[in-house]
Amino acid sequence: MMKILVLGAFSVASLYFAQSYPASAIPENLKKNANVVIRKDFTTAQINKVDQIKYQYNTVTTVLNKDGNDQATAYIPYDKARRISNVKVTIYDEAGKKIKSVSKSDFQDVANNPQGIFYSDNRVLVYSYTPAQYPYTVDFFYETDDENTVFIPDFVPFTSIKTSLEEAQFKVINTSGIELRTKIYPSKYNYASVIESGGVNDKTYSYKNVPAIDDAFMIPQPVKILPSVNFALAKFSLAGKQGTLNSWTDFGTWIYNDLLIPVSASTPAIKAEVASLQLKGSVEDKVKKIYQYMQNKSRYIAVALGIGGWQPMMPDEVQKKGYGDCKGLTNYMKVLLNEAGIPSNYCIITSGRSQVSFDPEFPSMGGNHVILMVPTEKGNIWLENTSQQMAFNHLSYSTTDRNVLAVTPKGIELINTPVYKAEQNKEKQVLKINLNEDNSIAGTGNFYYTGNQYDYNLRFVNLNPKEKNDAVKANFDILNFEKVEMKNFNNDRDNAVITYDLDFKTNNFSKKAGNSLLFRSVPIFSDVVYKTDENRELPFEVNMSFEDEYEIAFILPLGYKIDETPDNSNITSEFGSYKLSFVKNDNQVKVIRKMQINKGLYPKEKYNDYISFRKKILNMDNSKILITKI
């Protein structure tokens, strides 16, 4: 009888039933700032045993305009361990009248191969509706039977801006006898709250009436604003391999023994590779030589077959074929270091623009990337193994300032990646500009980038000369170059520094005023429009600390003198600092500018203070120098 009741509770009828969704029924506050409104997002997860979770998913999405079409695409990923059934899609018009029904046979079944994945046994069913008019509603239902129980999805209201939610529910029925750990992470800004109900083995979590996050200036990503509920089974299965997840020690030991040890064997060919490098010097010298050797002979290609989504390729496969994904390349680098007698740690990390760290108090499966850490007496060396161009011991903005799961034989150690200070994320410009009487300028420039500003300029590395010129022209479009040529581009992979020179010409830089010329103090500047907002509802985020240092020498045309320069300026704020000064000589005026911006997630109450700070900087950059014909 109990078995019958459980099956009844999990029947299709419990989650999916015919219902219309007129757009007129959407509350006005949920339409504000929204491209789509999620009318209903119901998930039921029935945990039957260590290697079986049955899911039911039902989402109803009303698309208000064309910018929301992608979010209404019916998308079902699957593989050999995840079977799909009972797929149903119903499309409704604005009034809630049924337009059409869609079955599984109407879906496209394609390889789930995003850019960079070479081969994979992951597949996806996709159905995309082309609307005749807006708004329209997509009611999407399906079931899965999953043997991989280590991944129980987090429960969040939504994951993107311009999306609002009417009602969401995540129900867990646990009949497995295995402990299910749960943790609620409330919204730090009271943007939405989680409602929890039910007993120990039959629990429901829900959200109601969550308004859209507008695409406001400097808005943090939704993950930093919204609440979430996370889940982890104390005992799990992944591609037939079982493990325990009561602690980071348990989980790390499983990763080390079940995922890494089976693919950690060296070969005579790998031994010969390391011997041929004739390593000398300090540990740092040896690691650098091995790392740059590995970069020069390999390339990134993602591979995801079976447990390969989490287990690296064999190192001899990477060595022979010269490619691998982040796991395979990192593991290969680790084996090369082992041959040199240098220990290292395989590190799982959540890569992305937002700094997302693992919770030390809630062990669970997570992360989307792998890097390598080499502990030394002088500090940790961090290696990004997927880039052929990245500098030694340098991490990009997508992996700094967060923690990693460093896997050791004794488990997992949570270790923080570096945080680059403003002066480490530096741009330096040295410009020499010849002013001409026809309002044009001809100049040369030397450019220097470090830290995260180095990362942004790595895109130039693989471009041909014409592409480099076009890219830098677009990058500094505020100067409206007539001609520009990049020269002497250099990516210093030993020190994480990019440098290059420019020759350029620009028309209409200065303005005539009688016998005088008037021109901007700072030729290359930010043209961001800064607007105050008295009704700011959410915090704002400065994603990166950085420092810009400019030295600009303006050479006067023959027969001109310096008539007027702005006063020297100096601003200091919690958001950073700014200095602008002028040095006058007979035939030139030198402008020295230094700006430092501090990273941070700031409360909404300080938004207008920040805008005021940036406006003052913009006004000073826009201050004018006047020269007059003698």
Side-chain angles (χ1 to χ4, degrees), residues 34-262:
N35 293 328
V36 301
V37 181
I38 301 171
R39 315 290 293 278
K40 173 182 177 182
D41 183 2
F42 283 13
T43 299
T44 298
Q46 181 169 320
I47 306 169
N48 293 327
K49 50 186 179 178
V50 69
D51 58 356
Q52 186 188 59
I53 300 181
K54 291 190 174 183
Y55 292 96
Q56 284 185 347
Y57 301 94
N58 187 199
T59 59
V60 180
T61 305
T62 296
V63 180
L64 302 179
N65 54 59
K66 65 179 182 179
D67 292 330
N69 281 335
D70 288 348
Q71 288 179 255
T73 299
Y75 179 91
I76 312 174
Y78 73 97
D79 55 33
K80 294 177 181 177
R82 192 171 192 247
R83 294 169 293 279
I84 301 168
S85 60
N86 295 326
V87 179
K88 299 180 178 67
V89 176
T90 307
I91 313 293
Y92 299 96
D93 67 11
E94 180 178 5
K97 181 181 177 181
K98 179 178 172 181
I99 297 174
K100 66 183 297 186
S101 294
V102 176
S103 65
K104 184 178 179 181
S105 61
D106 298 307
F107 280 65
Q108 284 186 292
D109 188 340
V110 298
N112 190 9
N113 284 6
Q115 185 177 8
I117 292 187
F118 185 53
Y119 53 88
S120 167
D121 61 5
N122 295 325
R123 299 193 65 79
V124 60
L125 293 176
V126 182
Y127 177 78
S128 182
Y129 173 68
T130 302
Q133 60 184 16
Y134 299 91
Y136 66 95
T137 298
V138 178
D139 187 348
F140 176 33
F141 176 89
Y142 70 99
E143 295 178 317
T144 67
D145 191 335
D146 203 338
E147 296 174 7
N148 293 332
T149 57
V150 71
F151 310 105
I152 300 178
D154 299 340
F155 180 47
V156 295
F158 42 78
T159 58
S160 57
I161 60 172
K162 295 285 189 180
T163 302
S164 64
L165 172 71
E166 203 163 344
E167 184 179 11
Q169 176 181 293
F170 195 106
K171 184 172 185 178
V172 183
I173 303 168
N174 185 8
T175 60
S176 67
I178 303 168
E179 178 191 4
L180 176 68
R181 292 183 295 104
T182 307
K183 186 167 184 176
I184 295 174
Y185 297 87
S187 167
K188 295 178 181 178
Y189 307 102
N190 298 316
Y191 197 79
S193 58
V194 182
I195 302 167
E196 182 181 10
S197 61
V200 175
N201 296 319
D202 188 343
K203 234 169 202 183
T204 300
Y205 301 88
S206 59
Y207 304 106
K208 288 189 176 181
N209 298 318
V210 183
I213 297 173
D214 192 17
D215 188 14
F217 185 56
M218 302 181 73
I219 196 75
Q221 290 190 302
V223 68
K224 292 190 175 181
I225 296 171
L226 298 170
S228 70
V229 186
N230 292 12
F231 307 92
L233 274 177
K235 188 177 180 182
F236 65 85
S237 179
L238 176 61
K241 294 179 181 288
Q242 294 186 11
T244 56
L245 225 174
N246 290 306
S247 67
W248 286 121
T249 299
D250 285 348
F251 192 43
T253 302
W254 177 81
I255 292 174
Y256 186 83
N257 290 327
D258 285 56
L259 299 188
L260 299 186
I261 287 295

Side-chain angles (χ1 to χ4, degrees), residues 3-19:
K3 183 176 180 181
I4 293 172
L5 288 174
V6 170
L7 290 174
F10 198 69
S11 68
V12 172
S14 71
L15 199 59
Y16 182 88
F17 53 90
Q19 186 176 345

